[in-house]
Amino acid sequence: MSSTKQLNNRSGGNASKKKCPLAMGLEDIAPLVRTVEEIPEPITTVIKGNIPSWINGSFLRNGPGKFEFGKDNFNHWFDGMALMHRFYIHDGEVTYSSRFLRSDSYVRNSEKDRIVVCEFGTMAMPDPCKNFFSRFLSRFKIPKATDNASVNFVKYKGDYYVSTETNYMRRVDPQSLETKEKVDWSEYIAVNSATAHPHYDREGASYNMGNSYGKGGFFYNIIRVPPPEKVAGEDKADFSGAQVLCSIPASDSRKPSYYHSFAMSENYVVFIEQPIKLDLLKFMLFRIQGKSFDKVMTWEPQYDTIFHVVHRHTGEQSKVKYSAPPMFTLHQINAYEDKGFLVMDMCCGDDGDVIGDFTLENLRRGPGEEMDKFYNSMCRNLPRRYVLPLTVTDDTPSDQNLVTLPFCQATAVKTGCGKVLCTHEELYDEELFQYGGLEFPQINYAHYNARPYRYYYACGFGHLFSDSLLKMDLETKKLKAWRHPGLFPSEPVFVPAPNATEEDDGVVMSIIITPRTEKSTFLLVLDAKTFTELGRAEVPVNIPFGTHGVFNEMQ
């Protein structure tokens, strides 16, 4: 058997791609990845239907919004300059505003009118005004990490920050969207980066994952930032008390894993070490070779996926090595403990090369056979459940399924001393294939994070960008959908109703954009129970396709 076939068999042969119907006649989405103007002063929207009067706060969104400077163009969708959006909702009325993050990257690029800061998929070229010798030497400098925080809005000690996956964040004003000071994680704790997907406990502490590397090897670090203790009126970033709870050595220090998020239950943090690898030798050489960061990431399914389990309160790492066949995951849905088991739900794929595929060239292919072929070649991300038995000892029997939860079809088998092999349960039925799989999952986080739950909300991907909103029922594995041709929704965000008594008592909000008509954007509000439209707030602006967002409730 050829090595290629062996890898295809090992990764499941991209079964999800085979089961999804082939796309034909996909429409042009190039208008969704073009530069737009910021709207710093709030403008009114036109309300259609009804926006519930109990919603009081700001729906904040982040994502790329500027894709060129002068004659220089970014290569990858992730590279676009961060544009922050705010839909302010009060008493059934809505206003909209937006601002570019005044990151050092944005300011320097603007001053030079060209790209001078390296991004994920774009190398900054040497200054043409320098002499040849200076330009040559600049190739040997390790580029400084970008502070173009275009991925998410995050919260530490009561303050909002926008974040990406480097060691830099930017504090922002959630009302004016004003850019405040830059925060460098490495000035507070020994990490070189952190994710844009922290978790929060019920006491107000924040948790995240970072990494560090040196003579001792490469480590994945669990970070804890304590609850807010700021003095009233103090207007500055506060990371006092931040600490590294646990440092997990990489399975291969020369090829650590890429990660975008992690799982957290009531008592445990789980880091998923997946076979998307970063080649550190290439990383050191990529500047000399003129290659961008995305070129050092490779999908290597000869490696298993490893679940590193760490006690959240003590920082102690489990001695049991939990593994699963190769898969990749970007976003977790939820994790909780039940009768000695850790249940983890996440969106998973069988081909980790997909991250590098979202180049602007691919997204701007235009309609036709090439666009259809490209989309049909990509894997689909699907919801899966893994169950880890937490009480494995030397006396635990081998070669039998240890999962005894009656509602779970996932398995876990002890294969040797301190080793457990996990296989997943599919959290969907075949109807999901009609929507192209799903991503950007969200739950009723405030009340059900790290607890048993029934519902989650996500985007369906019948195109390269999401073209539907889905509500998934874990008990029945059935779904409800909102889908209309030509409309592309953002990640759904759940907002619970006041005094809610049921998990799905509230609304789901999403920003809807379209490539078909200029300045035809609207904020959509769905009843979370029925998944039917309650109302929309139409705003005459263009918004590019974005990444993540939050709802900031106003007190």
Side-chain angles (χ1 to χ4, degrees):
M1 182 183 291
S2 72
S3 60
T4 301
K5 288 183 179 179
Q6 285 178 339
L7 295 187
N8 283 340
N9 286 346
R10 185 168 166 77
S11 64
N14 292 334
S16 61
K17 182 169 62 180
K18 295 176 181 178
K19 292 179 181 178
C20 288
L22 292 177
M24 294 183 64
L26 292 177
E27 67 181 287
D28 183 13
I29 58 170
L32 305 186
V33 284
R34 65 181 176 185
T35 296
V36 299
E37 298 295 324
E38 64 181 2
I39 313 286
E41 296 301 321
I43 59 176
T44 58
T45 64
V46 176
I47 305 298
K48 300 289 181 64
N50 175 57
I51 306 295
S53 59
W54 56 262
I55 304 175
N56 184 29
S58 299
F59 185 34
L60 303 172
R61 295 278 306 160
N62 199 359
K66 183 174 176 60
F67 299 95
E68 68 284 315
F69 284 92
K71 296 180 180 180
D72 292 354
N73 295 279
F74 290 115
N75 297 326
H76 199 282
W77 174 50
F78 295 170
D79 300 342
M81 295 290 98
L83 179 62
M84 302 173 288
H85 310 268
R86 180 190 186 226
F87 283 86
Y88 174 58
I89 309 166
H90 178 69
D91 199 23
E93 299 297 323
V94 181
T95 61
Y96 169 79
S97 58
S98 64
R99 280 194 175 187
F100 281 107
L101 178 70
R102 263 52 179 190
S103 61
D104 290 350
S105 300
Y106 179 90
V107 171
R108 290 180 60 199
N109 290 339
S110 297
E111 289 174 348
K112 299 290 187 180
D113 197 29
R114 66 183 185 88
I115 297 171
V116 298
V117 179
C118 297
E119 301 292 341
F120 174 77
T122 304
M123 285 295 295
M125 291 298 100
D127 188 343
C129 296
K130 290 182 178 179
N131 62 38
F132 173 81
F133 186 66
S134 296
R135 293 201 304 272
F136 176 76
L137 287 180
S138 69
R139 289 283 193 185
F140 293 86
K141 296 178 182 177
I142 298 298
K144 192 175 182 180
T146 181
D147 66 336
N148 176 36
S150 63
V151 178
N152 204 1
F153 278 85
V154 298
K155 210 170 184 179
Y156 295 101
K157 292 198 171 188
D159 281 338
Y160 275 102
Y161 298 79
V162 284
S163 181
T164 181
E165 295 188 325
T166 68
N167 55 310
Y168 296 119
M169 295 183 295
R170 280 281 185 168
R171 194 165 68 96
V172 295
D173 185 320
Q175 297 184 42
S176 68
L177 301 181
E178 174 190 357
T179 302
K180 297 192 173 184
E181 71 265 44
K182 181 168 71 172
V183 173
D184 182 349
W185 273 110
S186 64
E187 292 182 358
Y188 297 93
I189 50 177
V191 297
N192 299 304
S193 68
T195 81
H197 289 287
H199 276 292
Y200 311 99
D201 67 19
R202 302 191 194 288
E203 289 72 48
S206 306
Y207 295 79
N208 208 334
M209 292 290 309
N211 62 56
S212 61
Y213 47 89
K215 292 182 179 179
F218 192 101
F219 295 88
Y220 313 106
N221 301 305
I222 298 173
I223 303 164
R224 181 183 185 271
V225 179
E229 299 173 350
K230 288 179 65 173
V231 178
E234 196 173 33
D235 186 26
K236 65 177 182 180
D238 178 15
F239 282 81
S240 59
Q243 63 180 131
V244 172
L245 284 183
C246 180
S247 291
I248 303 166
S251 299
D252 183 344
S253 61
R254 297 165 301 173
K255 285 190 174 183
S257 292
Y258 168 78
Y259 56 94
H260 186 73
S261 62
F262 63 100
M264 189 174 87
S265 66
E266 192 68 32
N267 293 296
Y268 297 93
V269 171
V270 183
F271 169 66
I272 300 108
E273 190 174 20
Q274 58 190 350
I276 302 180
K277 297 295 186 176
L278 307 178
D279 189 315
L280 292 187
L281 179 59
K282 288 183 180 178
F283 177 75
M284 299 302 292
L285 296 176
F286 81 120
R287 174 68 172 178
I288 301 171
Q289 298 170 345
K291 294 182 179 180
S292 53
F293 182 76
D294 62 316
K295 299 298 189 297
V296 306
M297 296 171 55
T298 55
W299 170 240
E300 302 192 21
Q302 68 269 27
Y303 293 96
D304 280 336
T305 301
I306 300 173
F307 301 116
H308 298 275
V309 178
V310 176
H311 199 284
R312 184 166 69 86
H313 306 292
T314 66
E316 183 180 357
Q317 185 176 354
S318 172
K319 292 181 174 59
V320 178
K321 181 180 178 180
Y322 301 94
S323 64
M327 62 84 173
F328 89 96
T329 179
L330 291 175
H331 300 113
Q332 318 306 305
I333 304 172
N334 200 5
Y336 62 91
E337 297 152 44
D338 191 347
K339 299 175 183 175
F341 296 93
L342 179 56
V343 180
M344 295 190 304
D345 299 342
M346 59 190 80
C347 295
C348 301
D350 291 323
D351 182 358
D353 285 329
V354 67
I355 296 175
D357 290 337
F358 278 74
T359 63
L360 291 171
E361 179 183 7
N362 283 334
L363 296 173
R364 292 169 175 167
R365 282 174 182 254
E369 184 179 346
E370 285 301 309
M371 171 68 84
D372 295 347
K373 184 179 179 180
F374 173 60
Y375 170 80
N376 290 329
S377 71
M378 300 178 73
C379 78
R380 309 289 185 261
N381 283 10
L382 298 167
R384 294 176 179 173
R385 170 168 288 172
Y386 293 87
V387 180
L388 311 184
L390 295 171
T391 55
V392 177
T393 66
D394 292 342
D395 297 328
T396 300
S398 300
D399 301 322
Q400 68 181 54
N401 182 19
L402 303 177
V403 180
T404 56
L405 295 174
F407 57 86
C408 283
Q409 298 170 23
T411 67
V413 176
K414 183 180 175 184
T415 58
C417 183
K419 295 182 179 180
V420 173
L421 178 64
C422 303
T423 59
H424 65 269
E425 172 187 355
E426 307 286 10
L427 295 181
Y428 59 89
D429 70 9
E430 292 198 354
E431 184 183 4
L432 178 59
F433 293 131
Q434 302 303 315
Y435 295 91
L438 60 79
E439 255 293 352
F440 294 144
Q442 289 281 332
I443 63 170
N444 182 343
Y445 193 95
H447 299 104
Y448 287 85
N449 180 54
R451 293 175 175 173
Y453 72 116
R454 179 172 178 177
Y455 303 107
Y456 67 96
Y457 312 89
C459 288
F461 276 78
H463 204 307
L464 294 173
F465 285 150
S466 55
D467 66 345
S468 63
L469 294 170
L470 306 174
K471 176 186 180 180
M472 302 292 292
D473 184 332
L474 288 168
E475 286 190 11
T476 65
K477 296 188 178 179
K478 299 295 183 181
L479 61 82
K480 291 183 170 68
W482 183 95
R483 189 183 206 180
H484 296 274
L487 298 183
F488 292 79
S490 70
E491 169 191 63
V493 172
F494 177 87
V495 181
N499 305 313
T501 58
E502 296 183 286
E503 180 181 345
D504 59 349
D505 188 1
V507 298
V508 168
M509 295 192 293
S510 175
I511 297 175
I512 311 299
I513 57 179
T514 178
R516 296 185 179 184
T517 309
E518 283 289 301
K519 298 182 177 181
S520 297
T521 297
F522 61 92
L523 171 67
L524 174 69
V525 180
L526 300 176
D527 180 283
K529 276 186 176 296
T530 64
F531 225 55
T532 55
E533 182 174 338
L534 295 174
R536 60 178 67 180
E538 299 176 342
V539 57
V541 298
N542 291 320
I543 294 179
F545 192 81
T547 47
H548 299 286
V550 298
F551 182 74
N552 177 30
E553 185 176 358
M554 308 295 286
Q555 301 298 327

